[in-house]
Amino acid sequence: MRGYNRYLIFFLLPFFALFMTFNILPIFYTIFVSFNKVQFYGGSASFSFTGLTNYFQVFNDPLFFIGLKNVLLILGIQVPIMTGLALILALLLNSPLIIGKRFFRSAIYFPLTISLVLAAIYWSFMYGKEFGLINLLLSNLGFPKIGWLVDPNIALYSIMNVITWRWTGWNMLLFLAGLQSIPPVLYEAASIDGAGRLRTAIHIVIPLLKPVFVFSIVLSINGSLQTFAEPWVLTGGGPAYSTYTVVLNIYRYMFGIGNLGLAASMSLVLGVITVVLAILFIRVVSKE
Amino acid sequence: MAITPKKNCKMERNFSRRKAISVAGKVAISAIVAGGVAAIGGYYAGQVAAAPAKVTETRTVTAAPATARETVTVTAPATTVTVTVAERSKLSLSHWTWNAKVMEKAFELSDALLRFNVEVPQESLTTGQVYDRLTVAATAGVGAPDWVLLENEFTPRFASIGILRDLEEFGARKYLDKLPKFWVDSGSFDGKIYGMPWDIGPCGIFYRVDLFEKYGLEPLKPGMTWDDVVEIGMQFLKSEGAKDHAFMSFPTNDRGPLTAIIQSRGGKIFEGKKVVLDSGEALEAIKFIASLRDKKVISMEPWWTDEWYAKIADGYFLCIPAGQWFGGFLRDWLAPKSVGLWRATSLPYWEKGKPTGGIYGGSNFCITTQTSDEKAERAWELIKFLTIDLNGVHALYKASGYFPANIEYLDMIKGSTEPYFGEQRWLEIFVDVLKYTPALEYGPLWTHYTGNIGALLDRLAAGEDPVTATKEIAQIIRSAIG
């Protein structure tokens, strides 16, 4: 047994080394940096302890709150729509009545497999104000043209649409896996007890999908609060910060301005907000 | 100066390595002696000289098993080049740029790699990628290339974090009289020089002369004031053409024209670490842009989109304010069919008889602190060749069409005309702009401006009050600076 343990440690060592190097140490380093003013010169960094100054600056930064407001809007509007859509698609594609299920599953998952840059080009063709496909359609139907990516009141919703297009397939797969893990005997038992499709869905399917649902939402909380790629490639955070997100702000402080301390403290504040929201959600759902 | 810029240097080489190696033993001693003489004589002795069209280039090649000396015959019609290549090993000078293909062409045209016995592995990146990677390299202390292309406005920022070498250590200061003073002042940091300019973008206005004629408008010309241009714009808006065209395009996602107009007005964004965007001449310039918006003289929209390209090709805009380089863009890919239809003029003056100008674009070659002294020295030779030596400047100009910053070279080409611009001496207009352009202090905080100015333009485009919007954006920048 002792020999077995020795070998176990030996085999786990590479994982722990990589895990410590790339997951745990960066967290501690970020915490350390967040309490310092970091100045670079000629490839060497000098750290001067500034206490909570960076954190005060985070809460005095208007762009942090603009970004936070936008990602919370995404969380509040886009995530429920996407999750509902994913659940409906999963139920449909799990039904014996639907033909060509493999094709539809692949097609719905496909957006996640293509490069976001390509997707951005595609969506810019769709969203173009003068020559975009959507506006061409609208104008042919007699509606006015809409500035999907250039109108500050609309751009964030256009971004939400792209996120939904991209991530619904992933959530659908989670729900499909959950649906397929429900033992068929439960359906049979419900059927023998006289339960119809709706009752089966309410009393069997949804309760058993709850863990998958929680997992999907927690991932979505994390994903929406850290929204970066879609606005980065489509709008750069504009127009007038209407699609600006917290991570875009962190990125700008890190790479554009070179204020590592502020970028680190902002990352940690965002991390804390994400964890708190996820825990709150899990608690609320668990009580129910 | 015996240079005719429009003709390329063609070199024919005729050498036999086998023969050279077979006599290497005999030649070695004379090579060393000749090498010494060459070194004493100076590496650049007679790089550009009034000599016969056919000259002999002497270079020393380090080739196993011995150092041999080879003779290269150079045939250069109308251009005379004498190059003496010093005996030294070949170096690899890594380079980050957004103009890799152009650089390759310039190297080919000038034989620069042969002259300096270097190879230049280039990494083709966008400007944003260059800045992000250079920031990471500066942070990590490793990973920077030997030399890099940076926009002039970002040079002070990278100098401030110690990733760029002070070029004065190579004697750059003595060449500054060949460059526009405002450019050097704008891109320097702490009074030191960190970049030598490849190209420079004096801002002007490109306009469709055929549409001006069609709608009975007075063509734009240097010396006009903004009042004159606004009057012409208002006249156009009353014409039939206003249904199908916009008078002037102005970007919501490109800081260039706004910054150039602020600069031409004598405005500042920063004074040291103080944000002054929302005061003085800068604010006046922004208010002026808003007034153009209100009068519908400008059409504010995103630039560099397929829609914008299509509008230019279709002749939707009568005017576009842009850097000189935009002329090449129009001619080569934006509207290649519009031969003879475009003209250029300088940015309008604010007061009659008081010329001024602004800059929209331009880049510097910089050497990083993470390269070795030997490589830095060789990179400087190459940079000096490309920016100061007229052969190098000419090669870069031929390869790119970008406006060089070398005053001597500009004087040589400014009389050029071409059918695309209706044989107008358009380059001369931009050369003149350089004489009147005031310096604009970029400084190490410039990224705060570039990161937020898009939001100001968006807000102006949305019809917001320019004073409120500018003050709020300035406050955001102040908060970020801390």
Side-chain angles (χ1 to χ4, degrees), chain B residues 72-393:
Chain B
V72 181
T73 304
V74 179
T75 306
T79 302
T80 58
V81 182
T82 305
V83 179
T84 304
V85 180
E87 182 180 349
R88 50 188 179 174
S89 58
K90 192 169 193 172
L91 289 181
S92 177
L93 303 175
S94 58
H95 185 49
W96 288 353
T97 178
W98 50 91
N99 277 318
K101 283 186 181 171
V102 170
M103 290 294 286
E104 276 168 21
K105 197 172 171 191
F107 290 150
E108 193 185 316
L109 288 173
S110 64
D111 234 349
L113 303 185
L114 176 72
R115 287 166 186 256
F116 300 100
N117 204 19
V118 292
E119 59 178 14
V120 178
Q122 299 189 81
E123 202 158 345
S124 186
L125 304 165
T126 63
T127 49
Q129 286 172 328
V130 168
Y131 302 150
D132 287 354
R133 288 195 186 192
L134 207 56
T135 303
V136 172
T139 310
V142 291
D146 297 309
W147 60 305
V148 64
L149 186 66
L150 296 176
E151 286 168 284
N152 193 34
E153 53 186 342
F154 287 93
T155 307
R157 150 147 174 74
F158 287 100
S160 74
I161 56 172
I163 191 71
L164 303 181
R165 283 199 181 222
D166 176 7
L167 299 184
E168 285 188 52
E169 67 179 277
F170 306 108
R173 190 159 290 279
K174 66 183 172 206
Y175 301 105
L176 297 189
D177 62 343
K178 294 180 185 296
L179 309 170
K181 186 177 181 306
F182 80 88
W183 180 267
V184 177
D185 290 345
S186 300
S188 60
F189 175 66
D190 272 352
K192 294 175 182 169
I193 305 149
Y194 290 95
M196 292 294 277
W198 164 357
D199 70 309
I200 188 167
C203 191
I205 295 178
F206 291 88
Y207 66 97
R208 282 282 299 259
V209 72
D210 58 322
L211 296 177
F212 268 65
E213 283 170 11
K214 184 177 176 184
Y215 299 113
L217 308 174
E218 184 187 353
L220 304 183
K221 51 183 178 286
M224 279 185 166
T225 63
W226 274 112
D227 287 341
D228 299 331
V229 174
V230 171
E231 198 180 315
I232 293 168
M234 298 302 287
Q235 190 188 335
F236 165 75
L237 291 171
K238 288 174 193 161
S239 75
E240 279 293 304
K243 288 179 190 165
D244 303 318
H245 303 275
F247 184 68
M248 187 183 291
S249 179
F250 203 86
T252 54
N253 58 348
D254 188 325
R255 64 188 173 275
L258 177 66
T259 310
I261 288 169
I262 290 174
Q263 184 176 13
S264 76
R265 177 110 194 175
K268 294 175 182 176
I269 314 298
F270 297 101
E271 271 178 357
K273 288 190 173 181
K274 192 177 167 195
V275 183
V276 293
L277 172 68
D278 55 347
S279 62
E281 300 301 329
L283 185 59
E284 289 305 313
I286 293 165
K287 282 160 66 180
F288 175 71
I289 296 298
S291 75
L292 295 183
R293 169 204 68 190
D294 295 341
K295 289 171 184 161
K296 300 194 185 323
V297 171
I298 56 171
S299 162
M300 296 189 77
E301 62 189 308
W303 278 18
W304 314 112
T305 64
D306 290 327
E307 288 179 22
W308 188 66
Y309 300 150
K311 283 179 174 177
I312 291 172
D314 292 347
Y316 180 73
F317 303 115
L318 270 71
C319 314
I320 300 173
Q324 176 277 338
W325 43 265
F326 192 74
F329 283 17
L330 284 172
R331 181 190 57 216
D332 299 336
W333 59 280
L334 282 173
K337 291 177 183 168
S338 308
V339 178
L341 304 183
W342 288 92
R343 299 286 186 277
T345 186
S346 59
L347 269 187
Y349 304 160
W350 296 94
E351 286 178 53
K352 203 92 190 166
K354 286 192 175 176
T356 183
I359 290 295
Y360 176 8
S363 57
N364 293 332
F365 291 118
C366 305
I367 301 173
T368 71
T369 47
Q370 291 178 9
T371 188
S372 67
D373 287 345
E374 186 188 18
K375 285 190 173 187
E377 189 71 43
R378 199 79 65 91
W380 164 250
E381 289 172 13
L382 187 55
I383 289 171
K384 193 174 74 168
F385 173 72
L386 294 169
T387 57
I388 302 297
D389 187 303
L390 295 179
N391 288 297
V393 177

Side-chain angles (χ1 to χ4, degrees), chain A residues 57 128-130 239-241 251 256, chain B residues 132 139 307 447 452 458 479-480:
Chain A
Q57 201 179 338
K129 190 171 179 188
E130 298 298 329
Y241 304 121
Y251 180 86
Chain B
D132 287 354
T139 310
E307 288 179 22
T447 46
N452 290 291
D458 286 331
S479 301

Side-chain angles (χ1 to χ4, degrees), chain A residues 2-16:
Chain A
R2 284 181 64 190
Y4 173 77
N5 281 341
R6 199 166 60 234
Y7 282 120
L8 193 68
I9 290 166
F10 176 76
F11 283 120
L12 285 175
L13 204 59
F15 164 74
F16 275 112

